[in-house]
Amino acid sequence: MAAPQSILLTGASGFIAKHILLRLLNAGHSVTGSVRSRDREDEVRAAVGTHLTDPTAQDRLRFVTLDLTQDAGWEAAFAGVEALIHTASPFPITQPKDEQDLIRPAVDGTLRALKAAQAAGVARVVLTSSVAAIAYRAPSAAKPVMDEDDWSDLDHPTATAYVKSKTLAERAAWDFAAKAPGLALTTINPVLVTGPPLDRHFGSSISVIERVLASKDPMLPNFGFGIVDVRDVAEMHLRALERPETSGRRYIAADRFLWFKDIAEIIAALYPYRRITRRVAPDFVVRALSLFDPSIRTILPGLGRRDELSNARARGEMGMNFLNAADSIRDTARFLVENELVT
Ligand code: NAP
């Protein structure tokens, strides 16, 4: 089966989606990008514009307005479309008071996208899920390295509203695909995504690096993340589209785990003249600070926790050779400094 040529990319204004869009256009695809407001069209065009190998590729890009929480426009958005890449999902820095503010758009939006795809006869779907749908569960001594067979446990203390939103959305997608035999689904499950944004409108994950670079905190929490570069995440979406054998599979996108302290050391070595906080706070201090700063609260259950995730499937089946997380952090920091986004 030939790879689909005409793609609907939801959430085209997002940090990851702009990288996917750039690759799709450079690979010769036609793209319908969905945005919440047409005001963002020029921003998205400008973000990819300077990186296009063929400037006329912009002619293969059109925009539609879609909201995950509303029915309007979905049917028309699929006109002439052969495949769906669904990236849109709320990804805020702080968790909302009502977890349904995240869960509802994530789950309902995924189902809206899949139903509209099915109604339009679109057979190929790639969903941007997350490691949030895999790793937030009790560690298993019998299986210390998690893989695509694992699912987050919604009752585990680390299961934030975001974790629930991504887990329930991905579950809903697999349940839907199981009852839609003509619809081939692949999910990409990234860890924290870093790497240079295509413009200044970047999402929550880059703010983690910004926070370290700006030395916003007097000490660092004993907390860490799996890291993957945005260029690899975008590439995986394309490889999934191009390889029918990835259908029905989940793929973890990850290079390696880094503690906040590791990230700070990498940035401090890159910019020795900058004052970069490298001291790690005792956990009780972080707990106390969280009483005043709600953005800290979400990391409390993960203090001191190191999740090991296997990227063997992506390497073996997609031929991914992941960029080193340290290089990704350095490229992110360079972007923020060169664009004067940190003082
Ligand atoms: P982002 O820049 O915040 O992008 C999120 C996108 O979703 C934006 O285009 C946003 O539109 C759109 N969106 C949010 N709520 C919407 C709604 N109600 N209706 C329509 N569109 C809506 O974040 P990102 O990092 O690129 O994330 C993209 C995807 O990757 C998400 O599914 C996220 O869960 C997943 N992911 C991200 C990471 C990471 O570390 N970055 C890791 C794993 C998975 P607006 O621009 O209008 O807000």
Side-chain angles (χ1 to χ4, degrees):
M1 196 177 82
Q5 286 303 307
S6 175
I7 320 294
L8 173 61
L9 173 68
T10 65
S13 54
F15 161 55
I16 296 173
K18 282 176 184 152
H19 275 273
I20 297 174
L21 173 61
L22 174 63
R23 273 167 197 254
L24 286 171
L25 292 174
N26 279 344
H29 295 281
S30 298
V31 184
T32 301
S34 90
V35 282
R36 272 199 269 199
S37 150
R38 288 299 283 270
D39 299 348
R40 306 290 297 276
E41 176 173 340
D42 289 348
E43 168 203 318
V44 179
R45 282 193 186 278
V48 295
T50 51
H51 304 275
L52 289 171
T53 48
D54 167 15
T56 65
Q58 294 268 13
D59 301 344
R60 287 185 267 109
L61 173 60
R62 71 171 185 126
F63 288 89
V64 291
T65 308
L66 293 175
D67 194 297
L68 295 172
T69 61
Q70 281 162 35
D71 289 329
W74 286 93
E75 195 187 323
F78 276 95
V81 163
E82 293 167 276
L84 165 68
I85 299 182
H86 182 52
T87 80
S89 206
F91 184 28
I93 296 175
T94 48
Q95 301 297 298
K97 279 206 182 80
D98 180 356
E99 61 184 21
Q100 288 303 327
D101 290 350
L102 286 192
I103 295 171
R104 226 177 273 125
V107 176
D108 295 357
T110 299
L111 287 174
R112 257 189 194 96
L114 289 174
K115 279 179 195 157
Q118 190 191 33
V122 165
R124 194 70 182 98
V125 178
V126 180
L127 170 71
T128 317
S129 185
S130 170
V131 78
I134 292 182
Y136 292 76
R137 56 202 283 279
S140 159
K143 191 183 171 200
V145 180
M146 287 182 272
D147 60 24
E148 287 85 352
D149 291 335
D150 293 305
W151 280 90
S152 291
D153 169 7
L154 299 185
D155 295 322
H156 194 261
T158 53
T160 58
Y162 177 70
V163 167
K164 290 178 188 173
S165 77
K166 296 304 284 183
T167 307
L168 291 168
E170 194 193 323
R171 285 248 188 236
W174 286 117
D175 289 347
F176 185 92
K179 293 185 207 117
L183 197 139
L185 174 67
T186 303
T187 67
I188 308 298
N189 297 66
V191 290
L192 186 80
V193 183
T194 56
L198 290 183
D199 64 10
R200 291 159 164 258
H201 305 268
F202 46 78
S204 303
S205 52
I206 297 302
S207 60
V208 171
I209 311 303
E210 189 189 3
R211 195 163 182 134
V212 177
L213 189 53
S215 269
K216 282 191 179 155
D217 308 293
M219 286 193 276
L220 299 169
N222 181 25
F223 188 85
F225 313 86
I227 304 271
V228 66
D229 191 89
V230 65
R231 293 160 287 194
D232 284 336
V233 175
E235 179 64 24
M236 285 176 73
H237 284 75
L238 261 76
R239 290 194 190 184
L241 264 193
E242 285 160 2
R243 299 177 190 212
E245 65 274 18
T246 62
S247 298
R249 312 277 278 165
R250 310 169 86 195
Y251 289 88
I252 290 173
D255 178 47
R256 72 198 62 194
F257 181 95
L258 294 176
W259 296 104
F260 254 115
K261 182 171 168 49
D262 299 326
I263 296 172
E265 296 288 359
I266 291 164
I267 293 174
L270 181 65
Y271 296 114
Y273 58 87
R274 291 185 80 96
R275 192 187 61 80
I276 305 286
T277 303
R278 279 174 278 177
R279 227 151 45 98
V280 177
D283 291 352
F284 76 87
V285 173
V286 179
R287 285 184 210 289
L289 285 173
S290 74
L291 298 173
F292 309 101
D293 183 347
S295 69
I296 300 177
R297 233 165 272 163
T298 52
I299 68 168
L300 294 183
L303 287 175
R305 186 182 151 130
R306 181 189 178 112
D307 289 329
E308 297 295 348
L309 287 148
S310 169
N311 62 10
R313 182 178 287 178
R315 286 190 289 108
E317 296 180 12
M318 286 188 174
M320 289 302 299
N321 184 12
F322 287 101
L323 279 166
N324 188 302
D327 288 332
S328 184
I329 301 293
R330 280 189 279 269
D331 287 350
T332 315
R334 281 191 198 101
F335 171 86
L336 293 169
V337 170
E338 284 163 16
N339 288 283
E340 297 175 355
L341 294 166
V342 279
T343 45

